[in-house]
Amino acid sequence: MKIYNTLSKQKEEFIPLIPGKVSMYVCGPTVYNYIHIGNARPMIVFDTVRRYMEYTGLDVNFVSNFTDVDDKIIKKAIEEQVDATVISERFIEECKKDMKSLNVREATYHPKATEEICGMIEMIEELIQKGHAYRAEDGTVYFRTRSFKEYGKLSHKNLDDLQGGNRSLLVSGENQKEDPLDFVLWKPKKDNEPYWEAPWCNGRPGWHIECSVMSKKYLGEEIDIHAGGEDLVFPHHENEIAQSETANGKPFAKYWMHNAFLNIENKKMSKSSGNFFTVREIAEKYNLQVLRFFMLSAHYRSQLNFSEELMAAAKNGLDRILNCVESLKFQIKHTDNLAVLEQEASLNEELKGFEAKFCAAMDDDFNTADAISVIFELVKFANTTLNGSVSNLFLQNILETIVKLSDVCGLIVNRTEEILDEEIESLIAERQAARKEKNFKRSDEIRDLLLEKGIVLEDTREGVKWKRA
Ligand SMILES: [Zn+2]
C-alpha cells in the first residue's frame, strides 16, 4: 500500500509503526453551523482510507476532533444569547447526523477541545520550560517559532520567506511578540467569552495546540497518519508539528495526507459569492450516497469541481450499480440452478481478478476513481453473466463481491426493503402517543428509525407531516 506523503512529496510504502495497527488522526470541523460540502470531502476521503485499511486486515484507531471553542462559535452564541456550549453541542449532533447520512463511520474517539484543556495547559507549560514558548505581558503565550529548526518542513516553506512575505501572519498583539512568526498557544479572555483558569491568565487555547494534545492523548506521541484538507498544511499542521515535536522530542506523524479543494462550478466555494452549499441543502435534492459517490469519483489529491451536471452523472453511475444489485437479487431468488457448472471455475477466476484490480487501485494512494471503474467493469460482467445460465452460487458470489467492494468505498448498494405508507403512519401514531406520555426516548427512536429509512418528519401546527428524502 502506497501513500503520498506531503512531508516527502512522494508516494511511500505504508509501514505502520506497530505491525497490523494504524493510528490515524483527522482534523475535524469547527462546530458553529451545519457542515458544508467542503467539510464533507475529508470526512468521506479519510473514512474510505480507514475502510480500505480495515478491509486489508489492519486494525485502525481513528481519532477525529470537534473544535468546540472558537471565535465563530462565540459570535453565534452572543447573537443567540446562549452559552457557547449550546451552539457547539447542537452542531456536533447535526454533524453526526450528516456523517451518518454520508455513511461516514463514527471515529474510535471524537474528542472535544473543551474537554481537553488540562492537557493543553500541561503541554504549553512544558513548551515554556523547554524554552520553546513564552508569556507576553498581557498573559498571551506564544510559541517561539524559530526555536524549532525544522519549521516549514511540511509546507516546504522557508522561514525567511515567511517572515518577508506573509502579511497575513500579522494579527493584533503583534507588537508583543518576540518575532512576527511566533504563534498563539494561549490567549487572555475577553468579555463574554468562555474561559479557563491557567497559570498565565484566565483565557482559552489557540487552535493549533488542541490537535497536538488530543492526538497525543488518544494515539500516543508518535502516530502513523495525520490528515486533513490541504488548507490545513500551513499554518495549522506546520504548527502542530512544531508543538508536538519540541514537546515530545519525537517525530509526530509518519505520513501526512491532504485532500485537495472542492470548487463549485469552477469557482472557489464562498458564502459571499453565493456558491456555498451545506450537506443538508444537498440532502434536499439527493440521497447523500450520491454525494459520497461523486466525491470518490475523483482522486482525493485532485481538485474536484461540484456542479449540477456532475452530480446528475454521479446519480446515474450509482444507479447503475444499484440496478445491477437488484437484478442479481431478483435472479438469485428466481433461479433454482444449484448445480455448479464447469465453466464457472474460470468465471470465478475472472471475478477474483476484479477484486485484485480494485485493490491495486486502492493500494496506489487510494485511487478511488480507478477503484470505482473496476466496480463498473464488474457490473458489466455481472450483467453479461445474468444472460447466460449460471448457478445460484455463482450469482451470489458476484453479488457478494459487488457489495463488498462498494462497502469499502462506503457505498450502500444493498437497498433495504421499501417502507410502506401504512407502516410510516402507524409509527408516527406511536411516536405521537409516546410524546404524549413524555417518553421522549421512544419518540426520538422512532424519528431516527424513520430517518434511517429515508423518511423525514416535520412537526407543524397542523400535525406531523412526512416526506421521503
Ligand atoms: Zn487539527
Side-chain angles (χ1 to χ4, degrees):
M1 194 188 295
K2 281 200 161 66
I3 294 182
Y4 180 89
N5 191 348
T6 309
L7 203 54
S8 65
K9 289 190 179 173
Q10 272 173 9
K11 279 186 201 168
E12 295 174 23
E13 188 62 36
F14 178 64
I15 305 164
L17 293 161
I18 302 167
K21 292 197 186 306
V22 181
S23 46
M24 185 167 179
Y25 187 98
V26 181
C27 290
T30 302
V31 280
Y32 66 97
N33 205 337
Y34 294 104
I35 57 165
H36 56 72
I37 55 175
N39 300 129
R41 191 172 189 193
M43 285 179 182
I44 292 168
V45 162
F46 298 115
D47 177 64
T48 307
V49 168
R50 174 196 195 180
R51 284 170 183 269
Y52 181 64
M53 287 182 156
E54 289 182 348
Y55 158 88
T56 66
L58 291 164
D59 179 8
V60 185
N61 194 351
F62 190 97
V63 174
S64 188
N65 64 303
F66 285 117
T67 296
D68 62 346
V69 56
D70 162 272
D71 289 342
K72 289 176 182 145
I73 299 172
I74 294 167
K75 187 169 167 257
K76 193 153 196 155
I78 293 170
E79 276 167 19
E80 291 193 18
Q81 298 184 319
V82 293
D83 203 70
T85 52
V86 174
I87 303 293
S88 59
E89 286 303 319
R90 181 195 307 160
F91 289 110
I92 285 172
E93 283 318 303
E94 297 299 343
C95 175
K96 284 186 173 173
K97 281 184 203 161
D98 285 337
M99 282 168 64
K100 199 165 181 210
S101 311
L102 292 163
N103 202 24
V104 169
R105 284 170 46 202
E106 284 222 17
T108 321
Y109 296 103
H110 276 296
K112 298 173 200 163
T114 55
E115 290 173 3
E116 309 289 345
I117 303 286
C118 275
M120 297 185 215
I121 292 175
E122 244 167 63
M123 190 179 274
I124 296 171
E125 195 77 49
E126 201 177 345
L127 289 170
I128 294 175
Q129 273 168 21
K130 289 184 174 166
H132 294 292
Y134 58 93
R135 179 190 185 277
E137 226 177 87
D138 70 349
T140 309
V141 182
Y142 293 101
F143 186 88
R144 197 172 268 134
T145 302
R146 281 182 192 275
S147 74
F148 180 53
K149 293 287 165 269
E150 293 173 85
Y151 193 86
K153 68 176 173 181
L154 181 72
S155 51
H156 307 282
K157 287 180 196 285
N158 172 303
L159 274 182
D160 294 314
D161 293 348
L162 281 174
Q163 177 118 35
N166 203 333
R167 296 296 298 173
S168 66
L169 284 172
L170 297 178
V171 289
S172 64
E174 190 68 11
N175 47 7
Q176 54 171 2
K177 286 185 185 180
E178 290 178 2
D179 187 300
L181 289 174
D182 296 348
F183 59 88
V184 172
L185 298 173
W186 187 266
K187 50 188 159 192
K189 84 178 263 270
K190 288 188 225 143
D191 300 337
N192 297 327
E193 283 192 1
Y195 68 92
W196 289 264
E197 283 177 13
W200 324 288
C201 65
N202 290 344
R204 60 186 168 103
W207 170 39
H208 315 300
I209 193 75
E210 70 175 75
C211 290
S212 281
V213 168
M214 294 190 253
S215 179
K216 180 177 178 172
K217 177 169 172 188
Y218 293 94
L219 297 168
E221 292 180 341
E222 276 184 276
I223 68 167
D224 291 305
I225 301 171
H226 196 110
E230 67 178 357
D231 51 327
L232 298 184
V233 175
F234 184 84
H236 185 53
H237 287 165
E238 199 71 74
N239 291 353
E240 281 187 40
I241 292 178
Q243 296 161 160
S244 295
E245 300 198 353
T246 49
N248 306 330
K250 284 180 187 165
F252 182 22
K254 207 168 160 192
Y255 305 87
W256 287 84
M257 296 180 74
H258 295 97
N259 66 277
F261 279 124
L262 177 82
N263 290 328
I264 312 256
E265 305 279 355
N266 291 312
K267 284 189 206 97
K268 207 174 161 217
M269 181 159 75
S270 89
K271 248 183 192 162
S272 53
S273 42
N275 57 348
F276 177 93
F277 296 105
T278 62
V279 168
R280 251 350 122 80
E281 284 165 333
I282 302 300
E284 284 168 15
K285 230 174 151 179
Y286 294 98
N287 181 316
L288 288 178
Q289 282 283 296
V290 176
L291 186 63
R292 181 164 186 132
F293 183 90
F294 163 76
M295 297 265 190
L296 295 178
S297 62
H299 188 270
Y300 75 93
R301 284 190 293 113
S302 326
Q303 284 209 0
L304 182 59
N305 188 41
F306 179 93
S307 72
E308 285 292 332
E309 276 167 21
L310 290 171
M311 277 297 279
K315 186 177 181 309
N316 281 337
L318 184 60
D319 280 345
R320 257 164 73 196
I321 306 175
L322 293 168
N323 291 337
C324 174
V325 166
E326 287 308 305
S327 308
L328 279 166
K329 277 162 64 175
F330 179 86
Q331 200 76 5
I332 289 166
K333 227 184 218 169
H334 296 90
T335 314
D336 36 18
N337 194 356
L338 295 177
V340 174
L341 306 172
E342 212 173 300
Q343 70 267 30
E344 284 182 22
S346 73
L347 285 175
N348 266 321
E349 279 310 303
E350 225 177 309
L351 193 56
K352 279 189 198 141
F354 288 112
E355 191 163 347
K357 209 171 158 191
F358 176 92
C359 292
M362 292 299 276
D363 280 338
D364 182 16
D365 191 31
F366 309 96
N367 192 334
T368 52
D370 284 1
I372 285 177
S373 303
V374 177
I375 299 181
F376 280 137
E377 286 173 33
L378 188 54
V379 163
K380 207 169 149 197
F381 170 77
N383 290 338
T384 334
T385 314
L386 281 172
N387 297 327
S389 58
V390 283
S391 71
N392 213 301
L393 186 69
F394 185 67
L395 291 171
Q396 284 184 39
N397 283 348
I398 306 181
L399 177 64
E400 256 171 42
T401 310
I402 295 178
V403 172
K404 181 167 63 175
L405 300 187
S406 301
D407 184 57
V408 171
C409 299
L411 298 169
I412 304 166
V413 294
N414 217 348
R415 269 192 202 132
T416 44
E417 297 295 317
E418 279 270 316
I419 182 163
L420 300 170
D421 287 8
E422 303 88 87
E423 288 171 27
I424 298 169
E425 300 287 4
S426 91
L427 278 167
I428 289 175
E430 197 197 324
R431 177 169 171 266
Q432 293 302 91
R435 286 174 63 156
K436 228 176 219 166
E437 292 161 12
K438 301 215 184 305
N439 183 353
F440 297 112
K441 188 168 167 275
R442 180 62 190 152
S443 116
D444 285 350
E445 265 171 26
I446 294 172
R447 174 180 280 263
D448 290 346
L449 179 80
L450 285 167
L451 201 61
E452 238 168 68
K453 297 194 182 284
I455 308 300
V456 183
L457 300 187
E458 200 191 332
D459 294 307
T460 71
R461 262 181 221 194
E462 296 86 49
V464 183
K465 286 187 178 157
W466 62 269
K467 61 175 186 190
R468 291 181 196 271

